[in-house]
Amino acid sequence: MTGPGGTPSRRLVVLRHAKSAWPPGVPDHERPLGPRGRRDAPAAGRVLAGAGFLPDLALCSTAVRARRTWELAAATWATPPPVRFDPRLYGAGAGELVDIVRETPAEVGTLLLVGHNPGLEELVLTLAGDGPADLLDEVRTKFPTSAIAVLTSHAPDWSALTPGTAALTATAVPRGTAPRKDGRGDGPRGD
């Protein structure tokens, strides 16, 4: 992760689903992860754990690719948090996502949101009233599959979160590695 440290009262971790496949005849909601996505999702889980950004609660889209991203990321943690699969996250815009996040119970300090673009990118930019210009530019330029953005807020509870009241404090784009051709360990990623 890149970005300054600090201990916020609220932390929103946004994770875009990993790279999906496009099988013929499969409805968008049902699209599975592709090979790269199956490698990148666990890498996202390891990055979150390594940076100390494990959530107290996860909200995840009901789309297959988002659910599988959650499953593979959470499988890398000793104790995954509770997860709520919310159909409203599929296709939601920034305003809808803010409303959903604002429903989070006050006792949740770190919330993970697993969903889709363009809504997630719009959410990050909508909430980020502050943060390093380079991190904001990264998100504006591209928020690719498996991308992570961490927003912090000192709001007294989630219901007080409004546009421009959070700081973008970290970003990452985790990538897994493909098995080496000789079968030993990890090698360069390719797809």
Side-chain angles (χ1 to χ4, degrees):
M1 292 272 184
T2 57
T7 307
S9 59
R10 305 271 170 238
R11 179 182 291 142
L12 175 61
V13 179
V14 177
L15 171 61
R16 184 176 173 201
H17 67 78
K19 184 75 173 171
S20 60
W22 293 84
V26 174
D28 184 71
H29 189 273
E30 305 305 312
R31 289 193 295 121
L33 292 181
R36 191 177 93 199
R38 291 191 300 271
R39 291 191 305 268
D40 292 350
R46 290 188 296 271
V47 165
L48 291 174
F53 294 144
L54 292 182
D56 301 312
L57 174 68
L59 299 179
C60 183
S61 164
T62 56
V64 169
R65 60 194 179 274
R67 291 177 68 108
R68 190 67 178 135
T69 298
W70 156 252
E71 292 165 358
L72 291 171
T76 67
W77 307 331
T79 308
V83 61
R84 294 182 188 159
F85 297 100
D86 191 328
R88 297 176 298 168
L89 297 176
Y90 177 73
E96 296 164 289
L97 292 171
V98 170
D99 290 343
I100 293 166
V101 169
R102 293 182 71 198
E103 296 171 5
T104 303
E107 64 271 12
V108 173
T110 299
L111 175 67
L112 173 65
L113 190 63
V114 183
H116 312 270
N117 252 7
L120 291 183
E121 178 180 331
E122 293 168 358
L123 173 69
V124 171
L125 295 173
T126 296
L127 291 176
D130 195 12
D134 60 328
L135 295 183
L136 290 165
D137 287 345
E138 281 180 32
V139 175
R140 278 187 200 104
T141 301
K142 188 172 185 184
F143 197 66
T145 55
S146 299
I148 297 169
V150 180
L151 294 147
T152 59
S153 171
H154 293 287
D157 60 45
W158 291 99
S159 66
L161 189 65
T162 56
T165 61
L168 179 60
T169 57
T171 61
V173 182
R175 294 296 185 225
T177 56
R180 289 174 30 167
K181 290 184 181 183
D182 62 11
R184 297 180 301 160
D186 289 339
R189 187 174 58 80
D191 245 10

